[in-house]
Every structure is written in C-alpha cells, then in structure tokens.
C-alpha cells in the first residue's frame, strides 16, 4: 500500500499547479506527505509551510531520535534509552519506535520520508496540528 500511497500523492501535483495558476495564493500550507509542494510553491514564487498533524512534542522527540539515534546504543528492544535534547528524562524503547527506524531499513516508505524531510528543510516553516487546535480553542471554535 505504501507505494500506491506515494504514487497517489504525486498524482495531485499537476492539478494543484493548475489551481495555483488560477488562484495566486499568498502562501501554501501543504501536508508533510506532499514533498513536491515545496518545488511547486517555489515554481510559482509562493512560500510553502509544511503541515504536520502531530504535536510539537511528538515531532521534537522523533527528530531527536532521527538525529542522535539513541536506540542504537541499547542492547535489546526492551531496554529504555533517554531521548537526548529534550527536557527531563524522556525514555523510550526500541519496541516503541516505528519498524523502519528500529530496523534501520531502507525501503519505499523510509525513502519517501527522507524526501519529505528534505522538502521541509527547504520550506518556509512548519505548522503543527496541536498549535492549530489551541488557536481554534482560543477563538472559541
């Protein structure tokens, strides 16, 4: 299903570009699973923000695991490790990590996630689901 999902997301690029030609928005907020949106936005001179539906904490913890690979320093799937660069002692085990991280496997999905990360780094910023929810709550919606 992963390959089909990735293919399906790329099929949205051409129709999206057609909409941009007609509408000329001031910015684009596109889901993280649309890495092509960064190049599309640049093509039209529009800033792109990456949307992550997760919380700031979850995204930060995942990034610290990605950068520092603390799970590679433990000897078993159940041995806890501290996630570096987060306040406090946030502990996880390898069992709690996604398979592609735990197994350090290069597959279609991990390659796709790398492309998503590269596109995010070239974007104008990130919008997180938790912040949107908090903003909507403050507005009373």
């Amino acid at each position: 299903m992963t390959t089909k999902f990735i293919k399906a997301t790329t099929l949205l690029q051409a129709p999206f570009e057609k909409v941009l030609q007609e509408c000329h928005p001031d910015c684009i907020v596109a889901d993280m699973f649309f890495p092509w949106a960064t190049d599309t936005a640049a093509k039209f001179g529009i800033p792109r923000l990456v949307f992550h539906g997760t919380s700031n904490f979850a995204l930060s913890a995942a990034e610290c695991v990605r950068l520092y690979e603390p799970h590679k320093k433990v000897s078993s799937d159940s041995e806890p490790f501290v996630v570096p660069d987060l306040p406090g002692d946030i502990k996880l085990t390898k069992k709690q990590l996604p398979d592609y991280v735990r197994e350090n496997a290069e597959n279609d999905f991990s390659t796709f996630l790398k492309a998503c990360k590269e596109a995010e780094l070239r974007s104008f910023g990130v919008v997180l689901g938790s912040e949107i929810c908090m903003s909507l709550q403050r507005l009373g919606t």
Side-chain angles (χ1 to χ4, degrees):
M1 293 291 289
T2 301
T3 305
K4 290 179 181 180
F5 173 77
I6 295 167
K7 174 75 172 156
T9 63
T10 61
L11 293 174
L12 296 171
Q13 185 172 5
F16 185 67
E17 288 185 4
K18 186 174 181 182
V19 169
L20 292 179
Q21 287 174 328
E22 297 168 7
C23 295
H24 310 288
D26 293 324
C27 78
I28 296 169
V29 178
D31 194 88
M32 66 158 295
F33 288 121
F34 302 143
W36 49 263
T38 299
D39 292 331
T40 293
K43 177 179 175 180
F44 290 93
I46 304 168
R48 186 249 175 141
L49 297 170
V50 177
F51 175 73
H52 284 274
T54 189
S55 70
N56 187 31
F57 175 77
L59 193 61
S60 296
E63 184 67 0
C64 289
V65 169
R66 184 186 74 80
L67 289 172
Y68 302 111
E69 301 179 325
H71 57 288
K72 292 185 175 180
K73 298 174 179 106
V74 295
S75 57
S76 74
D77 285 351
S78 58
E79 182 182 346
F81 59 86
V82 174
V83 179
D85 280 359
L86 291 180
D89 284 340
I90 308 301
K91 294 181 181 177
L92 294 173
T93 65
K94 281 185 181 180
K95 281 194 279 189
Q96 292 174 295
L97 300 176
D99 290 343
Y100 69 91
V101 174
R102 184 174 58 244
E103 297 165 6
N104 198 26
E106 189 71 27
N107 56 37
D108 288 345
F109 191 63
S110 65
T111 301
F112 178 65
L113 288 179
K114 284 179 186 175
C116 293
K117 185 64 178 174
E118 290 168 5
E120 178 180 308
L121 292 172
R122 292 183 288 112
S123 74
F124 277 71
V126 173
V127 176
L128 301 171
S130 56
E131 280 70 24
I132 290 174
C133 292
M134 290 188 309
S135 296
L136 291 175
Q137 287 172 346
R138 277 189 234 121
L139 294 173
T141 55

